Amino acid sequence: MEKARWQERPRCHGQHHRESISFLSIRNNIILTVIVAILTTFLLSSHWHVPHLHEGPSFTYQLNPADLEYGLKQCALNQQRPVVDGNLAASRLASRSSSGPRTILHNATLIDGNGKVFYNCIIEMQDAIFTSVLKGTLDVPEQLSPEDRVVDLHGRIVTPGLVDMHSHAGVRETPQLWATEDVTEISAPVTPWARAVDALKPHDQAISVIASGGVTTSLVLTGAKNQISGEGVVIKMKRANSVLDMLVNTTESGGKPQRYLKMAMGENQKRQFEHSSSGPSTRLGESYWYRKAYDNARRVKLEQDRWCEIASTKKGLMSITQEYPRSLEWQTLVDVLRGDVRVNVHGYETEDILAMFDHADEFGFNITALHHALHADLIMDQIKARDIAVVGFSDSWGDKKELYNVSSYFPRRIVDYGIPLVLTRDHPAEHGQWLAYEAQIGHHFGLDTESALSSIISEPARLLGLDNRLGFVRPGYDGDLVIWNRHPLQVGATPLEVFIDGNSVARASDSLWKVSESRSYANEAPASRPNDVLDSTCKPGQSDIVVRGLSMSFISDDGQRSEQPQSGNLTVVVRAGRVVCVGETKCDDMAGKAVEDNVPTVDLRDGHMLPGLTIVTRQHGLTEMRQEPSTTDGLSLGEEYERPLSSRYGIKFDGVHLERAYRSGVTRIVTPPLTTGFFHGISALFRSGATSVLDDGAIAEPNAALHFTIGHSAKSPRTPSITSQISKLRDLLTVDKHLHPIYESAAGGDTAVVVHTNNKDVIAHMISLKKETNAHIVIMGGSEAHLVATQLADVDMPVIVAPFWGCEPLFFDSRNCLPGPPLTDRLGPQVLLDAGVKVGISNWDDTNNHIRNSIWEASWIAGPENQSLALDLVSKNIEDILHLPRSRDFVIYEGDPFNFGARVALIFEEGKVQSCYPDVDE
């Protein structure tokens, strides 16, 4: 009978939100709960004796009172489900003490969690919640206490605190150390009993840094190295001495708590258990382990239900001899089957998603959200039919098969289909401080403004079952608020102040508040990138062309970079493969003559003409999928000193990463050979748009620079310590420079010596080495370079910063980086620029994908009023630092490339048009 009942269960397709619970079901559950509770109370009050029910001697229950009471309580709880109390805010307002200091913000522009905008708002916070949200002019209250704070925001934008629905802050502490790595219990493929709260470290320095980016709440999940890794926990992103002071109380209204399970399918699990017999090595095995786990949980649930069925009658209650069935190992999954836990599934490929749907149908549980799921846009109909959300990225792809060749329009496609979308950073996989950056990039690629903002505010709050207290600025909601220096979807948008539970946890200096009053700090969202297909006269192969409608050009009449841009209604004339005129009326005659010669004319809207960008990267042209060795050039041991390797011989021109970089305006790339050790070899400068090494100018400079890594990751048998690494580099520039002509050139300052390092003491040693040898040493990475900025400037030692903000302290040697506003006035690269250090912005990301964002990131560093500097950071400065030949490429954009919303209209290289209106994903 039990088996038949299980097989007849209807399949569960929806989420277990309050909308899916019928009134009748709620009423029946309440009635049953009340009956069981009354029965329990009666039996306990009679000390488990009911003599009036029996003739003769009094009857004693066979199970001891404590075990019986526990079992009956569990039976009652089994009939309840977690609910979202819609009256929580009102009850908070009614019961508050009104005793704490108030914060009153007025003249605020409120963008609420759903993206709706309200002007001239007055927002009051007290006792950890919003107490009043009004529109109008503030009349200063008469009863202000000395502790009350009143702030005129002068129209600045405020939003609710951001919510990150997929974080590992606190369980994967940064800087990452073996001792603090507690994200996944990998002793078994299935560990539902694990709990993130048990390993959460309140002193993780990333917590306050993430909060400074406006993230006030995070769902901290267990990891994805095994299949069912355990329960997550929701925390407020505030520093505390106890994790208890960070937890969000999800039972404030009583009842069962909101709970969150992490499960995962795909490559991670195959890789983790590949050489172990204790777990799966294929997706076939993964499905077996899931089904086995849930089958065990189903059996425990059936035993518990049988116990409760027997205990529901007086006769059965007196006959029970065994305690209520318990299982520390499987109870979490039992609770999943009962609908008490929100299930979050990590997976990318469609086969993983569909296999998980099969498991959910077989065992009757609901899935709340698919995490990452970057190929979910291929099966949107099935995801939507089940009312499942997608928690993904806007710009994290490429380093393994399951997230390779992902659509840049993925977020927009998900939302347009009607599927709930949440964007995340997966900290520390991507630095959690910049959650807004995910929304910005998603918006650039077509995600509408409201959805971009709701994806990092109200939608994650709803999926957590906490939208009755988070995600909106409403009376009675948690006092989590962010004041922004510009619209949060603009390049470089940064919080001026962040409040958590009504308390300020991060506030920028007064000078940064003052700067944000500039008109260049836009209060409107930027446009999204146009996606229309134009019938343009621009054709690849053209060496003669006229372009009208430019509003700005950084290219002068001789085709070279100009020091200052021209602006106005500009025309560009190109004849015989060379720029001959850039300007307004002065180009009319040349343009007219070209038209007479039947030269095609391209008309633009708000065109911008820039040189092609030049970027140094870790592995472009040498690696497609880092985690698939067959797609890489391979890694040397880093010990080939007598015959240095050159990347010119390994560059391949057919990868998705190169194509997308090129279509975004990056026309030249410098990549050194790959290594696991200290010495990379000689990098090459090559054209990202070439089809092979045989194309004209494909290798623009075969000997761009010498590259060395100094640090923990470079330790190898011949250079097992940082001491030996620095000593070896010194030898190559002095006593061993005869080993190869490239060392002679480097020692003489003709060839750049690029040292990849972040630590300030290693950088200081490089300063000393330059003084000793006069070699042209370049620092790349430079997370702690700001600590020796003056000394770097004194010896004219440049820094190529990667990543652009210079602060993602994943490892110990970069722990002293600058997080930037609002915690510090400046980012590390800005401190270097202030000191007079020549700085370039490049990419050392092993996933390969962020290179196309370089122009935005340079603009972030330079600021909205310094486009010339922004361009220098990703072109001229890189050329100067590495002694590279000047680029003669130019790229014309439609729209402002220094902000979101522009697209490449034309790429001109090697004397002819190479590409017209390329789509980023072609």
Side-chain angles (χ1 to χ4, degrees), residues 15-232:
Q15 296 170 322
H16 49 270
H17 296 303
R18 61 184 184 276
E19 292 84 3
S20 65
I21 304 176
S22 69
F23 172 77
L24 181 61
S25 175
I26 294 174
R27 187 182 65 180
N28 290 342
N29 286 346
I30 293 173
I31 292 172
L32 182 56
T33 300
V34 170
I35 291 173
V36 173
I38 292 173
L39 180 61
T40 303
T41 302
F42 173 77
L43 293 174
L44 292 175
S45 65
S46 60
H47 301 287
W48 308 99
H49 292 83
V50 279
H52 63 280
L53 297 178
H54 305 276
E55 295 180 1
S58 63
F59 184 85
T60 302
Y61 289 93
Q62 300 183 51
L63 194 64
N64 74 68
D67 288 339
L68 190 61
E69 179 183 6
Y70 173 83
L72 291 173
K73 180 180 178 181
Q74 295 307 309
C75 293
L77 289 173
N78 290 347
Q79 307 306 312
Q80 302 176 22
R81 302 281 77 79
V83 298
V84 179
D85 179 12
N87 294 318
L88 176 63
S91 63
R92 284 174 160 187
L93 292 170
S95 62
R96 71 189 186 94
S97 63
S98 303
S99 59
R102 289 178 292 176
T103 299
I104 302 172
L105 310 174
H106 64 104
N107 196 8
T109 301
L110 169 63
I111 303 180
D112 219 346
N114 54 9
K116 293 184 178 179
V117 183
F118 304 91
Y119 298 96
N120 199 26
C121 293
I122 306 168
I123 302 168
E124 178 181 302
M125 292 178 282
Q126 187 179 29
D127 300 331
I129 62 173
F130 296 113
T131 54
S132 176
V133 182
L134 303 170
K135 291 185 67 176
T137 303
L138 176 68
D139 292 326
V140 179
E142 295 181 358
Q143 298 181 344
L144 282 176
S145 74
E147 292 81 20
D148 290 342
R149 179 184 172 204
V150 179
V151 182
D152 185 349
L153 293 183
H154 300 285
R156 291 184 178 89
I157 288 175
V158 301
T159 68
L162 310 187
V163 181
D164 195 337
M165 196 175 159
H166 189 126
S167 177
H168 302 296
V171 292
R172 177 168 278 171
E173 186 175 5
T174 56
Q176 291 180 320
L177 301 171
W178 175 87
T180 59
E181 176 71 11
D182 291 309
V183 69
T184 311
E185 174 54 56
I186 57 172
S187 58
V190 174
T191 58
W193 37 264
R195 304 182 301 179
V197 68
D198 295 330
L200 203 144
K201 302 159 187 66
H203 295 117
D204 183 353
Q205 69 178 31
I207 291 171
S208 59
V209 175
I210 293 170
S212 75
V215 181
T216 57
T217 305
S218 293
L219 171 60
V220 177
L221 292 169
T222 49
K225 288 186 177 180
N226 64 0
Q227 293 176 259
I228 303 177
S229 58
E231 283 196 55

Side-chain angles (χ1 to χ4, degrees), residues 636 638 645 672-675 677-682 707-709 756 844:
S636 76
L645 301 177
L674 305 176
T675 182
F678 157 68
F679 182 40
H680 294 259
I682 305 168
H707 292 256
F708 302 85
T709 291
H756 300 266
W844 200 244

Side-chain angles (χ1 to χ4, degrees), residues 143-456:
Q143 298 181 344
L144 282 176
S145 74
E147 292 81 20
D148 290 342
R149 179 184 172 204
V150 179
V151 182
D152 185 349
L153 293 183
H154 300 285
R156 291 184 178 89
I157 288 175
V158 301
T159 68
L162 310 187
V163 181
D164 195 337
M165 196 175 159
H166 189 126
S167 177
H168 302 296
V171 292
R172 177 168 278 171
E173 186 175 5
T174 56
Q176 291 180 320
L177 301 171
W178 175 87
T180 59
E181 176 71 11
D182 291 309
V183 69
T184 311
E185 174 54 56
I186 57 172
S187 58
V190 174
T191 58
W193 37 264
R195 304 182 301 179
V197 68
D198 295 330
L200 203 144
K201 302 159 187 66
H203 295 117
D204 183 353
Q205 69 178 31
I207 291 171
S208 59
V209 175
I210 293 170
S212 75
V215 181
T216 57
T217 305
S218 293
L219 171 60
V220 177
L221 292 169
T222 49
K225 288 186 177 180
N226 64 0
Q227 293 176 259
I228 303 177
S229 58
E231 283 196 55
V233 62
V234 179
I235 64 170
K236 290 295 182 75
M237 303 302 287
K238 54 188 180 182
R239 294 295 293 272
N241 289 324
S242 168
V243 66
L244 299 177
D245 295 329
M246 304 170 67
L247 300 181
V248 173
N249 178 11
T250 64
T251 60
E252 189 172 341
S253 301
K256 285 188 171 181
Q258 300 291 344
R259 295 167 62 192
Y260 316 93
L261 182 69
K262 172 70 175 294
M263 306 199 305
M265 293 190 75
E267 293 183 28
N268 286 10
Q269 299 72 45
K270 289 177 59 177
R271 191 169 288 111
Q272 179 63 45
F273 294 99
E274 179 181 9
H275 303 295
S276 170
S277 60
S278 63
S281 60
T282 66
R283 284 179 167 86
L284 310 177
E286 289 180 22
S287 285
Y288 165 76
W289 280 96
Y290 272 116
R291 297 179 68 210
K292 179 181 179 182
Y294 274 102
D295 187 59
N296 287 334
R298 177 184 64 85
R299 295 174 188 276
V300 174
K301 178 178 179 295
L302 289 175
E303 291 177 5
Q304 292 176 350
D305 291 345
R306 288 194 190 100
W307 195 98
C308 292
E309 186 176 359
I310 294 171
S312 65
T313 68
K314 179 173 60 178
K315 180 179 179 181
L317 193 63
M318 291 186 293
S319 68
I320 292 176
T321 60
Q322 300 293 323
E323 66 176 40
Y324 178 84
R326 312 185 196 194
S327 173
L328 184 62
E329 184 174 11
W330 302 117
Q331 186 60 48
T332 298
L333 298 188
V334 172
D335 295 340
V336 169
L337 297 179
R338 295 194 186 282
D340 288 349
V341 185
R342 294 170 185 258
V343 176
N344 298 271
V345 180
H346 160 121
Y348 291 90
E349 300 276 22
T350 56
E351 60 265 33
D352 297 325
I353 296 171
L354 294 175
M356 187 56 68
F357 288 173
D358 277 348
H359 306 329
D361 289 345
E362 180 180 3
F363 294 99
F365 63 86
N366 296 317
I367 298 171
T368 297
L370 299 170
H371 287 239
H372 308 332
L374 293 180
H375 296 293
D377 54 338
L378 302 177
I379 52 170
M380 291 187 289
D381 56 339
Q382 300 191 52
I383 295 171
K384 184 176 181 180
R386 294 169 178 267
D387 192 24
I388 296 174
V390 170
V391 180
F393 308 111
S394 62
D395 191 45
S396 184
W397 53 273
D399 72 323
K400 52 184 176 178
K401 167 61 176 63
E402 63 186 6
L403 49 77
Y404 184 66
N405 205 13
V406 173
S407 171
S408 300
Y409 306 103
F410 172 80
R412 186 198 72 193
R413 295 179 67 181
I414 293 294
V415 167
D416 286 352
Y417 205 84
I419 297 171
L421 172 74
V422 169
L423 292 174
T424 180
R425 293 294 278 175
D426 191 12
H427 177 89
E430 300 288 345
H431 194 31
Q433 181 181 5
W434 308 121
L435 178 59
Y437 197 24
E438 290 289 333
Q440 292 164 5
I441 295 174
H443 179 60
H444 170 78
F445 287 113
L447 187 61
D448 65 271
T449 300
E450 291 76 15
S451 297
L453 292 169
S454 67
S455 72
I456 56 173

